[in-house]
């Protein structure tokens, strides 16, 4: 593990020089070795909500926005946990239909049963939790009251009801799309099983993280982080609250999902805050830098009005859980009055003290006050946005891996060969790319094992 972490650290130290593909290979290799070396028996549950996902559920041949996400997630988790005995480690996927009128839940069940992996996949329906008046669904009159949050809450709670005797049960939630490669789950397992944290947060903004996201959406994420951190210093150490790649100990889920106020876009922040407030001391949450690539096709998160609503909900969470403070309250009041047009202007004229810094450096109170934000809105727009290159053609996986092996005889040699041959813009919805990245991680692990054996001799 140490040697593979050193390879990843080398890439991180010179992050822009290496392709996303190469970074992901290193992260996957570290993740898989962590899983292999876990001493405590474990069970890993992956939860995600589905609503309007019938297109992304398809293959690219069936629909232009198809990601084949369920079969791909099954393949990623099967790869991660291969070779682990059932007594030592096990896993499953728990999907929750968030009231989808197109029947996304039933479509997922059908795909799992017809194409393999059905035994590891279960599908639940938020409507059932409402009809049964389960405590986790209290306050939800219809599925329309949930925008993913209610479904994730139910999924976490429902998964926690299933007992796995003698194993550390961790429950992760993610998005239906392929923004996060589930082969990185070992990075979160490490935090919960080895480091004893209540929860683990996959972060796009940690030092070792690599994120591919269009310029406007990246600035928006920084602005979002700055604003919520001004209201909630208790979890200011958390760098990224909105990435859908988080896990909690199953024995803590009951407390986290009890008496919740937020069922829509800002549900992540409430869960994290509750985890910290329920901790006896110190930081309840650990963070792991991950590789993450935006999946904008069919995404519903781009509307500025919806983003303002998200921030206003966060202000309500602050007022519900935390004592009032002049600095914090000034930001809550600012957000209460913020409009979509005002947010768009602020996004284009974000103060340099926010835009030029890493989100991990933001603190509360920080340097940019509400009056400066108001002034930025009055002064009007500025700045710009960037984009990503088109994917390159690739060889078949076997031929590609043969090239990667080359004359490489050390982990560093493998990673340099991968960097040379990797595509510039990794698209995990294209099967050869997805297979290549897993195979390359295995190759990196194998080369390290061979070198370690030689050194021992």
């Amino acid at each position: 593990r140490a040697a593979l972490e050193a390879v990843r650290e080398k890439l991180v130290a010179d992050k822009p020089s290496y392709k996303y593909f190469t970074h992901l290979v290193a992260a996957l290799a570290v993740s898989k070795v962590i899983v292999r070396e876990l001493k405590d028996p474990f069970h890993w549950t992956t939860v995600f909500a589905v609503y309007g996902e019938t297109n992304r559920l398809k293959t690219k041949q069936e629909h232009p926005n198809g990601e084949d996400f369920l079969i791909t997630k099954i393949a990623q988790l099967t790869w991660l946990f291969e070779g682990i005995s059932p007594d030592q480690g096990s896993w499953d996927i728990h999907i929750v239909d968030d009231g989808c009128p197109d029947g996304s839940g039933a479509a997922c069940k059908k795909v799992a049963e017809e194409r393999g992996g059905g035994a590891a996949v279960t599908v639940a329906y938020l409507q059932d939790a409402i009809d049964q008046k389960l405590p986790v669904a209290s306050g939800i009159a219809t599925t329309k009251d949930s925008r993913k949050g209610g479904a994730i809450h139910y999924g976490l709670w429902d998964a926690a009801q299933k007992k796995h005797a003698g194993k550390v049960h961790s429950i992760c939630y993610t998005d239906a799309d392929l923004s996060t490669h589930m082969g990185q789950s070992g990075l979160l397992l490490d935090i919960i099983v080895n480091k004893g944290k209540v929860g683990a947060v996959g972060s796009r903004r940690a030092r070792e993280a690599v994120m591919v996201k269009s310029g406007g959406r990246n600035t928006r994420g920084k602005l979002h982080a700055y604003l919520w951190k001004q209201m909630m210093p208790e979890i200011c150490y958390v760098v990224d609250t909105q990435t859908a790649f988080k896990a909690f100990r199953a024995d803590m889920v009951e407390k986290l999902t009890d008496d919740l106020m937020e069922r829509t876009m800002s549900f992540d922040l409430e869960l994290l805050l509750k985890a910290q407030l329920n901790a006896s001391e110190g930081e309840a949450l650990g963070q792991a830098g991950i590789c993450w690539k935006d999946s904008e096709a069919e995404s519903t998160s781009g509307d500025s009005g919806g983003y303002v609503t998200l921030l206003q909900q966060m202000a309500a969470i602050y007022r519900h859980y935390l004592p009032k403070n002049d600095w914090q309250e000034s930001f809550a009041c600012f957000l209460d009055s913020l409009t979509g047009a005002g947010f768009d202007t602020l996004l284009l004229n974000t103060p340099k003290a926010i835009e030029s810094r890493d989100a991990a450096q933001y603190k509360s109170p920080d340097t940019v006050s509400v009056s400066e934000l108001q002034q930025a809105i009055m002064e009007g727009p500025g700045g710009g946005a960037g984009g990503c290159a088109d994917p390159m053609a690739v060889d078949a996986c076997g031929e590609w891996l043969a090239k990667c092996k080359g004359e490489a005889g050390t982990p560093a040699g493998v990673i340099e060969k991968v960097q040379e041959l990797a595509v510039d813009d990794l698209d995990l919805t294209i099967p050869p790319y997805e297979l290549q990245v897993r195979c390359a991680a295995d190759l990196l692990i194998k080369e390290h094992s061979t070198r370690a054996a030689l050194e021992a001799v």
Side-chain angles (χ1 to χ4, degrees), residues 236-277:
C236 213
Y237 67 91
V238 177
V239 181
D240 182 5
T241 62
Q242 295 308 107
T243 302
F245 191 51
K246 302 179 182 71
F248 299 99
R249 281 199 340 244
D251 59 6
M252 280 294 297
V253 165
E254 197 102 22
K255 290 182 179 178
L256 299 182
T257 56
D258 179 52
D259 193 27
L260 290 161
M261 63 171 290
E262 185 47 58
R263 306 289 187 173
T264 58
M265 295 183 292
S266 58
F267 76 92
D268 297 85
L269 195 69
E270 185 177 17
L271 286 174
L272 297 179
L273 183 60
K274 287 193 75 170
Q276 183 60 49
L277 295 178

Side-chain angles (χ1 to χ4, degrees), residues 373-396:
L373 294 175
Q374 291 169 332
Q375 184 64 31
I377 292 174
M378 290 175 62
E379 288 175 355
C388 298
D390 291 329
M392 295 172 63
V394 294
D395 299 319

Side-chain angles (χ1 to χ4, degrees), residues 101-376:
D102 302 323
S104 289
C108 286
K109 187 174 179 62
K110 185 171 184 243
V111 167
E113 289 174 348
E114 292 181 353
R115 296 181 57 199
V121 178
T122 55
V123 179
Y125 297 83
L126 180 59
Q127 187 61 55
D128 290 343
I130 296 170
D131 293 343
Q132 295 169 35
K133 301 189 185 320
L134 295 177
V136 71
S138 63
I140 305 178
T142 73
T143 56
K144 291 181 180 178
D145 294 332
S146 167
R147 187 171 174 183
K148 189 167 77 170
I152 294 297
H153 294 154
Y154 177 42
L156 292 172
W157 180 87
D158 198 31
Q161 306 312 301
K162 300 170 180 65
K163 306 306 176 188
H164 301 274
K167 293 181 177 179
V168 179
H169 186 193
S170 305
I171 308 173
C172 166
Y173 72 85
T174 188
D175 278 338
D177 65 35
L178 299 179
S179 294
T180 302
H181 194 297
M182 296 310 297
Q184 298 176 94
S185 297
L187 304 177
L188 302 191
L189 265 168
D190 184 42
I191 292 169
I192 294 175
V193 178
N194 290 333
K195 298 177 182 175
K197 296 290 187 180
V198 167
V201 180
S203 174
R204 300 165 296 182
R205 299 186 182 278
R207 178 181 172 274
E208 64 272 27
V210 179
M211 174 172 62
V212 178
K213 195 172 187 178
S214 63
R217 283 165 69 91
N218 189 32
T219 301
R220 187 180 68 183
K222 283 189 172 185
L223 186 57
H224 161 267
Y226 185 85
L227 291 169
W228 77 256
K229 285 191 175 194
Q230 302 316 302
M231 297 183 290
M232 302 183 198
E234 288 80 359
I235 53 171
C236 213
Y237 67 91
V238 177
V239 181
D240 182 5
T241 62
Q242 295 308 107
T243 302
F245 191 51
K246 302 179 182 71
F248 299 99
R249 281 199 340 244
D251 59 6
M252 280 294 297
V253 165
E254 197 102 22
K255 290 182 179 178
L256 299 182
T257 56
D258 179 52
D259 193 27
L260 290 161
M261 63 171 290
E262 185 47 58
R263 306 289 187 173
T264 58
M265 295 183 292
S266 58
F267 76 92
D268 297 85
L269 195 69
E270 185 177 17
L271 286 174
L272 297 179
L273 183 60
K274 287 193 75 170
Q276 183 60 49
L277 295 178
N278 273 285
S280 54
E281 60 180 347
E283 296 179 357
L285 305 162
Q287 300 171 82
I290 62 169
C291 295
W292 185 93
K293 188 173 187 296
D294 198 9
S295 176
E296 283 196 79
E298 309 220 354
S299 172
T300 58
S301 64
D303 175 67
S304 60
Y307 221 75
V308 170
T309 300
L310 167 67
L311 290 166
Q312 291 170 343
Q313 290 166 349
M314 291 177 170
I317 291 171
Y318 143 69
R319 289 186 172 124
H320 182 77
Y321 287 99
L322 302 174
K324 285 191 177 182
N325 163 290
D326 288 345
W327 177 267
Q328 294 161 230
E329 187 63 19
S330 70
F331 277 85
C333 290
F334 169 72
L335 293 176
D336 286 342
S337 61
L338 188 62
T339 64
F343 182 79
D344 284 341
T345 302
L346 186 57
L347 188 60
L348 294 170
N349 199 34
T350 304
K352 281 188 168 54
I354 296 176
E355 190 171 25
S356 64
R357 292 158 63 203
D358 207 56
Q361 298 174 318
Y362 303 156
K363 59 185 185 299
S364 178
D366 210 295
T367 56
V368 180
S369 66
V370 163
S371 61
E372 290 172 89
L373 294 175
Q374 291 169 332
Q375 184 64 31

Side-chain angles (χ1 to χ4, degrees), residues 438-454:
R438 283 187 274 129
C439 290
D442 279 336
L443 182 61
L444 182 59
I445 293 171
K446 184 178 178 181
E447 291 294 331
H448 160 63
S449 299
T450 302
R451 184 185 186 194
L454 289 171

